[in-house]
């Protein structure tokens, strides 16, 4: 897909992606997330993401929320371990309105104490909601164990104690230290010329003061694998097997993405789904995931099942891991895996807001954006030898942590 990048004098980059649709999509991404939080401040990045919608120098909370919704647009935001993102979908005439709002909430929020107190209550409810969902909570606890001693292990929502203790000074200091203008991308996908996007982007963001302090991210240690079992008042056993693995810059990343998709990724035809769910009927949900980060990555396998079936599920998973390592994919199997993966990526391009966010992240991570043909070329160049190497390095049961939520025995 055609794209253009224009960098403002303060370092903020404008990404322009032309589209003939009547609907436009835009996002502003800040390369800052939960891993950048100071010690004992878990959840601070996510807290700020909530607060930016609460009051600015020129708008009340209601004015912020109605600014785009009043014209039928959709506005939302999220926080990850490495990013904060605000995004919107809207009719083409409202680009100026959207960029104005992005500027206002990101750079001119006032963080009033009364709104902070209210939002703490909202987030505490959000934390409680996640704790009531073991299939969600286990991911957070697993990553806390996997990255023990590193801020990457922080729960993105924070803890009850950390959220209650946030101060306005914490919020202001975090933004000053982490909202680097040279690591902010404003991306627009819509029926606009490059000049139009640059002019509007310049109008709304050129007066933002340049801010580029040194980053202080610490790469996590790769700890020895452990087996952890936590008893909870739940009906099912939930289990994650996983390890640290390749970062987004590792040349083997694409191969692991392909192997993960084949083994336990999207769709009902993955190895894990066919062998564990369809063949034996012992798990409603079973999947694998690969999440590359800037200096490490996470590979994991998750399943939920009845307590009495947990060991059988584990043994079947280990059997499939061994099979993949002992008998790597042949050329025919690999080509089928490539065809499936390429098709899924192509279909994913139809999700326009997801596409523009992905392109903005790529610009931050790699300072470039690969075209779809280039992505397909990379996938098609993956060899059976490379897949065998990845399987041997990542799918070794001896390297996998096992983390389980078990029902309390009566």
């Amino acid at each position: 897909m055609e794209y253009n990048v224009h960098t403002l004098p303060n370092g903020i980059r404008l990404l322009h992606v032309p589209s003939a649709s009547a609907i436009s999509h835009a996002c502003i991404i800040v390369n800052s997330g939960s891993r950048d939080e100071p010690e004992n401040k878990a959840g601070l990045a996510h807290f700020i993401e909530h607060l930016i919608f609460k009051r600015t120098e020129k708008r009340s909370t209601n004015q912020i929320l109605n600014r785009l919704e009043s014209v039928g647009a959709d506005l939302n935001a999220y926080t990850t371990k490495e990013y904060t993102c605000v995004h919107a979908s809207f009719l083409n005439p409202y680009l100026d309105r959207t960029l104005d709002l992005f500027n206002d909430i990101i750079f001119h929020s006032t963080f009033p104490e009364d709104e902070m107190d209210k939002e703490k209550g909202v987030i505490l409810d959000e934390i409680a909601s996640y704790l009531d969902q073991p299939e969600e909570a286990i991911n957070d606890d697993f990553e806390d164990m996997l990255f023990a001693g590193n801020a990457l292990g922080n729960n993105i929502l924070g803890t009850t104690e950390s959220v209650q203790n946030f101060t306005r000074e914490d919020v202001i200091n975090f933004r000053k230290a982490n909202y680097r203008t040279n690591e902010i991308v404003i991306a627009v996908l819509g029926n606009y010329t490059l000049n139009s996007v640059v002019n509007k982007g310049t109008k709304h963001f050129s007066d933002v003061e340049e801010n580029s302090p040194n980053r202080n991210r610490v790469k996590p240690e790769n700890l020895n694998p452990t087996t952890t079992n936590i008893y909870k008042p739940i009906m099912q056993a939930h289990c994650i097997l996983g390890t640290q693995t390749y970062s987004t810059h590792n040349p083997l990343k694409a191969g692991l993405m392909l192997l993960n998709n084949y083994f336990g990724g999207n769709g009902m035809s993955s190895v894990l789904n066919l062998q564990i769910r369809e063949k034996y009927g012992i798990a409603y949900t079973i999947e694998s995931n690969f999440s590359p980060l800037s200096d490490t990555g996470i590979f994991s396998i998750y399943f939920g099942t009845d307590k009495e079936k947990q060991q059988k599920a584990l043994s079947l998973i280990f059997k499939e891991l061994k099979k993949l390592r002992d008998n790597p994919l042949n050329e025919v199997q690999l080509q089928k895996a490539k065809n499936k993966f390429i098709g899924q990526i192509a279909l994913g391009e139809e999700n326009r807001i997801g596409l523009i966010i992905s392109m903005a992240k790529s610009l931050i991570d790699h300072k470039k954006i690969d075209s779809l043909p280039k992505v397909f070329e990379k996938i098609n160049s993956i060899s059976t030898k490379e897949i065998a190497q990845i399987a041997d390095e990542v799918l070794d049961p001896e390297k996998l942590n096992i983390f389980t939520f078990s029902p309390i025995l009566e």
Side-chain angles (χ1 to χ4, degrees):
M1 179 172 285
E2 178 189 349
Y3 73 92
N4 303 283
V5 178
H6 176 83
T7 304
L8 299 176
N10 55 20
I12 293 176
R13 282 167 287 178
L14 305 174
L15 170 62
H16 163 249
V17 181
S19 168
S21 173
I23 305 298
S24 296
H25 307 278
C27 66
I28 178 166
I29 293 188
V30 184
N31 189 6
S32 174
S34 61
R35 74 171 303 177
D36 301 305
E37 294 158 349
E39 190 174 358
N40 301 320
K41 301 296 180 183
L44 186 55
H46 174 257
F47 185 51
I48 292 171
E49 176 230 306
H50 275 235
L51 288 179
I52 59 177
F53 294 94
K54 295 307 168 185
R55 202 175 299 166
T56 69
E57 294 165 6
K58 66 179 182 181
R59 289 186 175 97
S60 67
T61 300
N62 286 346
Q63 288 172 325
I64 292 169
L65 298 179
N66 282 303
R67 183 63 178 160
L68 290 182
E69 285 196 5
S70 65
V71 293
D74 179 65
L75 175 68
N76 216 326
Y78 66 86
T79 305
T80 69
K81 291 187 181 294
E82 297 192 321
Y83 296 106
T84 301
C85 175
V86 178
H87 56 88
S89 300
F90 48 91
L91 292 172
N92 291 347
Y94 301 114
L95 175 60
D96 196 68
R97 178 183 292 230
T98 300
L99 296 183
D100 173 57
L101 186 63
F102 281 1
N103 170 276
D104 198 27
I105 62 178
I106 292 292
F107 299 107
H108 300 284
S109 289
T110 55
F111 310 117
E113 298 280 0
D114 59 331
E115 292 289 357
M116 286 183 60
D117 291 339
K118 284 192 292 185
E119 210 54 33
K120 285 179 182 180
V122 171
I123 293 174
L124 293 178
D125 283 344
E126 189 177 359
I127 291 171
S129 173
Y130 270 81
L131 292 176
D132 279 341
Q133 303 174 62
E135 66 275 14
E136 299 287 348
I138 194 170
N139 278 286
D140 293 325
D141 288 2
F142 170 75
E143 290 177 8
D144 188 25
M145 177 273 300
L146 188 66
F147 299 118
N150 188 282
L152 265 176
N154 287 356
N155 186 320
I156 292 172
L157 300 180
T159 66
T160 299
E161 182 180 9
S162 67
V163 170
Q164 287 174 333
N165 290 328
F166 291 152
T167 66
R168 189 169 183 275
E169 185 179 12
D170 291 333
V171 170
I172 292 171
N173 288 343
F174 181 87
R175 291 222 324 165
K176 185 176 181 180
N178 292 284
Y179 278 43
R180 299 167 177 80
T181 49
N182 62 322
E183 296 197 62
I184 292 175
V185 170
I186 296 142
V188 176
L189 185 154
N191 194 11
Y192 314 105
T193 65
L194 172 60
N195 284 342
S196 175
V197 171
V198 169
N199 288 340
K200 286 180 170 58
T202 301
K203 170 186 171 183
H204 293 294
F205 296 98
S206 62
D207 63 346
V208 175
E209 185 177 350
E210 182 178 359
N211 181 44
S212 53
N214 292 329
R215 182 175 292 288
N216 190 32
R217 284 181 177 170
V218 178
K219 183 178 180 178
E221 294 181 42
N222 209 334
L223 306 174
N224 292 327
T226 61
T227 298
T228 305
N229 189 27
I230 299 174
Y231 287 97
K232 288 179 171 287
I234 53 180
M235 300 298 292
Q236 257 197 335
H238 298 264
C239 184
I240 290 185
L241 300 81
T243 184
Q244 287 190 49
T245 184
Y246 310 138
S247 77
T248 192
H249 303 290
N250 193 300
L252 295 176
K253 179 189 76 171
L256 181 52
M257 292 178 75
L258 173 64
L259 183 60
N260 170 71
N261 192 62
Y262 168 82
F263 187 63
N266 293 333
M268 302 295 285
S269 62
S270 71
V271 170
L272 288 179
N273 195 72
L274 290 175
Q275 295 300 317
I276 312 300
R277 172 177 168 155
E278 297 301 327
K279 188 173 182 178
Y280 292 95
I282 59 174
Y284 176 71
T285 300
I286 183 161
E287 61 191 12
S288 65
N289 289 283
F290 168 44
S291 301
L293 300 165
S294 59
D295 53 8
T296 185
I298 306 167
F299 174 78
S300 64
I301 301 166
Y302 163 81
F303 69 90
T305 189
D306 294 336
K307 175 61 181 174
E308 60 270 19
K309 299 175 183 176
Q310 179 185 342
Q311 286 306 314
K312 182 170 181 62
L314 279 171
S315 66
L316 290 170
I317 290 169
F318 286 131
K319 178 182 176 181
E320 295 304 323
L321 290 171
K322 185 176 188 302
K323 191 183 300 183
L324 260 182
R325 296 179 73 226
D326 292 348
N327 303 287
L329 300 187
N330 59 38
E331 291 288 354
V332 173
Q333 291 171 316
L334 180 57
Q335 190 58 54
K336 287 182 178 179
K338 289 177 180 178
N339 293 342
K340 176 185 175 182
F341 194 34
I342 286 171
Q344 290 174 341
I345 292 172
L347 289 176
E349 294 279 296
E350 294 300 308
N351 176 2
R352 304 275 96 176
I353 188 63
L355 173 63
I356 194 63
I357 290 172
S358 176
M359 293 177 77
K361 287 180 180 177
S362 182
L363 191 58
I364 288 177
D365 289 337
H366 305 290
K367 297 182 172 57
K368 66 184 181 70
I369 302 165
D370 285 336
S371 66
L372 206 56
K374 182 67 174 177
V375 171
F376 295 164
E377 181 184 327
K378 285 184 177 180
I379 294 170
N380 280 318
S381 70
I382 297 168
S383 65
T384 54
K385 181 179 179 182
E386 186 176 333
I387 290 294
Q389 176 188 347
I390 294 167
D392 192 55
E393 292 178 356
V394 179
L395 304 185
D396 182 354
E398 296 296 321
K399 297 179 181 178
L400 297 180
N401 298 271
I402 303 176
F403 195 93
T404 307
F405 284 173
S406 293
I408 295 174
L409 300 176
E410 294 184 359

